[in-house]
């Protein structure tokens, strides 16, 4: 039984389903007041063609004719590679200008000939979406930055905290579209740090949990750039807390395992080995697993995870647009498809899911599980 709740490198050239609102408006299942699902236009996330993104980044896009042209970009089909190259062409002159301003500032302050060393780079986690889940340290760093490079899943509410003199640069990735390659992001961070800027790399969740923060840190440290990590609440912790799911629980789950649903080489087969993950006494949390869930679920059941294992899939967790599907493992992929959940969606699999007050099974079953 299921329940649906609701650039060229700088180194070289420079629904119709019911929804659940997030807390404090969360209600028990028996009290759900369901509304139609939110459209992409009301997403809190800074998608590739978000109007808010262009408004906040207008230092890069001030040559755009008017707001109407921006609106049209949000709705018309486009060739992703062409759009990417056009964006980079628009950005390069402004980025070079900003680099020159920073270098001149260093010279005027007596930092010529490498006397002052490079600037700092901060890798900052912004949590799963709710801006109130930011750490105090993250807010302080965000407000002190000269330049911020931000991902697709950094909410507009978080971007509103950025200082008025700072510059924002979108470097987000989504399926089929990377506004910057990872190598270009590395070069951006390096070039601006070498110019003495305080550079902040904003990432959804935690920068070192499936955020490629380790790659950026390693690259910069090899170039002599100091990197400081500001951890964020990873999606597993934030979303599980939102749903009242304990990731571990005495007598129910003795461990929790974070898995990526993406194979590095792509395709429908998850990168990890399901045989090692099919532990009834563990909680599995799958990031980026919408496309590979059907394959993963079959493998988990094949290797011994009971088909009736409780599971949940949560789209845009901790935001007002949160939508949630509860189902047994054997039905989860079908229920997700019926609900038309889209990325970002987190998947939680394990007996602890039935401890959530929003699980569709009876409270007696959950109670007996705790006592087992």
């Amino acid at each position: 039984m299921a329940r649906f709740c609701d650039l060229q490198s700088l180194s070289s050239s420079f629904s119709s389903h019911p929804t659940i609102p997030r807390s404090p408006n969360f209600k028990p299942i028996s009290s759900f007041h369901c509304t139609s699902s939110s459209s992409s236009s009301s997403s809190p996330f800074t998608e590739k063609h978000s109007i808010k993104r262009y408004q906040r980044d207008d230092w890069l896009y001030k040559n755009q004719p008017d707001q109407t042209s921006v609106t049209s970009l949000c709705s018309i089909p486009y060739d992703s590679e062409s759009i990417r190259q056009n964006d980079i062409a628009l950005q390069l002159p402004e980025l070079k200008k900003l680099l020159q301003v920073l270098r001149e500032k260093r010279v005027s302050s007596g930092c010529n000939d490498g006397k002052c060393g490079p600037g700092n780079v901060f890798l900052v986690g912004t949590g799963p979406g709710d801006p109130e889940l930011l750490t105090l340290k993250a807010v302080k760093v965000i407000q002190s930055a000269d330049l911020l490079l931000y991902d697709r899943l950094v909410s507009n509410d978080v971007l509103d905290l950025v200082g008025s003199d700072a510059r924002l640069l979108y470097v987000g990735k989504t399926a089929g579209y990377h506004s910057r390659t990872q190598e270009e992001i590395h070069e951006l961070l390096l070039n601006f740090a070498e110019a003495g800027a305080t550079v902040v790399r904003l990432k959804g969740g935690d920068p070192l949990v499936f955020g490629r923060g380790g790659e950026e840190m390693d690259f910069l440290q090899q170039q002599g750039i100091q990197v400081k990590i500001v951890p964020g609440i990873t999606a597993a912790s934030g979303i599980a807390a939102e749903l009242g799911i304990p990731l571990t629980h005495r007598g129910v789950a003795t461990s929790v395992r974070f898995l990526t649903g993406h194979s590095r080489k792509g395709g429908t087969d998850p990168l990890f080995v399901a045989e090692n993950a099919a532990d009834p006494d563990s909680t599995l949390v799958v990031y980026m697993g919408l496309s590979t869930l059907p394959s993963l679920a079959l493998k988990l059941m094949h290797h011994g995870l009971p088909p009736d294992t409780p599971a949940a899939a949560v789209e845009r967790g901790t935001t007002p647009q949160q939508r949630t599907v509860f189902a047994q493992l054997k039905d989860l992929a079908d229920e997700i498809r019926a609900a038309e959940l889209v990325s970002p969606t987190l998947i939680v699999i394990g007996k602890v899911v039935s401890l959530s007050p929003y699980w569709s099974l009876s409270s007696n079953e959950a109670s007996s599980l705790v006592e087992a």
Side-chain angles (χ1 to χ4, degrees):
M1 178 179 179
R3 172 70 65 137
F4 174 62
C5 319
D6 229 21
L7 153 225
Q8 299 167 10
S9 176
L10 282 185
S11 60
S12 60
S13 62
F14 71 80
S15 128
S16 60
H17 297 278
T19 62
I20 300 180
R22 68 183 175 98
S23 60
N25 298 318
F26 238 38
K27 304 293 184 183
I29 283 181
S30 59
S31 302
F32 278 166
H33 177 70
C34 296
T35 58
S36 61
S37 65
S38 57
S39 66
S40 59
S41 63
S42 62
S43 169
F45 298 120
T46 45
E47 306 287 348
K48 171 63 184 68
H49 289 299
S50 160
I51 294 176
K52 286 191 176 183
R53 171 206 160 186
Y54 279 89
Q55 290 173 336
R56 188 64 179 85
D57 296 357
D58 62 356
W59 70 282
L60 287 175
Y61 297 96
K62 58 180 177 289
N63 294 326
Q64 295 285 336
D66 52 40
Q67 184 62 43
T68 302
S69 64
V70 173
T71 304
S72 65
L73 280 173
C74 296
S75 57
I76 61 174
Y78 62 93
D79 175 74
S80 61
E81 185 58 27
S82 174
I83 290 291
R84 178 179 179 277
Q85 293 299 332
N86 288 341
D87 274 359
I88 291 172
L90 281 172
Q91 293 166 359
L92 276 174
E94 295 296 332
L95 289 171
K96 290 179 178 178
K97 187 185 303 181
L98 180 58
L99 271 172
Q100 185 61 31
V101 169
L102 290 169
R103 288 166 178 157
E104 291 173 355
K105 182 179 178 180
R106 281 173 70 82
V107 171
S108 65
S109 62
C111 288
N112 200 11
D113 298 326
K115 294 179 181 178
C116 297
N120 290 325
V121 175
F122 294 85
L123 303 184
V124 178
T126 63
D130 182 353
E132 294 183 354
L133 294 179
L134 280 172
T135 65
L136 293 175
K137 188 171 185 178
V139 173
K140 181 179 179 181
V141 169
I142 289 171
Q143 293 176 338
S144 66
D146 297 312
L147 177 71
L148 298 97
L149 283 66
Y150 67 96
D151 281 347
R152 179 175 70 97
L153 301 185
V154 176
S155 69
N156 290 309
D157 288 336
V158 172
L159 296 183
D160 287 341
L161 299 172
V162 175
S164 58
D165 294 331
R167 299 301 195 189
L168 278 166
L169 182 60
Y170 178 76
V171 293
K173 299 182 180 76
T174 189
Y177 182 89
H178 289 189
S179 64
R180 299 277 176 174
T181 67
Q182 191 62 43
E183 290 73 21
E184 287 166 348
I185 293 173
H186 289 171
E187 294 296 337
L188 283 163
L189 294 170
L190 175 62
N191 276 266
F192 280 93
E194 288 181 334
T198 297
V199 186
V200 170
R201 177 78 168 94
L202 288 179
K203 294 175 173 288
D206 183 277
L208 301 184
V209 179
F210 301 128
R212 305 192 72 171
E215 298 174 43
E216 294 165 1
M217 177 176 63
D218 182 57
F219 170 81
L220 291 168
Q221 288 178 340
Q222 290 187 35
Q223 310 303 317
I225 304 298
Q226 184 176 7
V227 179
K228 299 179 180 179
I229 308 295
V230 180
I233 295 177
T234 190
S237 296
I239 293 172
E242 187 79 4
L243 295 178
I245 298 174
L247 292 175
T248 63
H249 193 90
R250 185 176 181 180
V252 179
T254 57
S255 66
V256 60
R257 187 167 182 176
F258 297 168
L259 307 173
T260 172
H262 269 300
S263 168
R264 186 175 180 180
K265 296 180 180 179
T268 59
D269 196 26
L271 180 65
F272 48 86
V273 180
E275 180 179 1
N276 297 327
D279 178 6
D281 295 323
S282 291
T283 303
L284 304 180
V285 183
V286 186
Y287 291 69
M288 304 168 290
L290 276 181
S291 62
T292 57
L293 177 64
S295 173
L296 171 62
L298 289 174
K299 283 190 171 185
L300 289 173
M301 290 184 288
H302 175 73
H303 289 293
L305 202 61
D308 62 353
T309 299
V314 190
E315 173 191 315
R316 297 173 180 176
T318 78
T319 75
Q321 287 75 21
Q322 175 173 310
R323 298 194 301 149
T324 304
V325 167
F326 287 99
Q328 295 178 349
L329 177 60
K330 62 182 176 62
D331 301 320
L332 185 61
D334 289 338
E335 295 298 332
I336 289 174
R337 190 178 303 110
E340 299 179 354
L341 296 191
V342 298
S343 175
T345 291
L346 189 82
I347 297 165
V348 184
I349 302 169
K351 292 182 289 187
V352 291
V353 173
S354 67
L355 301 178
S356 167
Y358 310 108
W359 175 245
S360 60
L361 299 182
S362 71
S363 59
N364 289 335
E365 286 193 46
S367 297
S368 63
L369 182 60
V370 175
E371 295 169 0

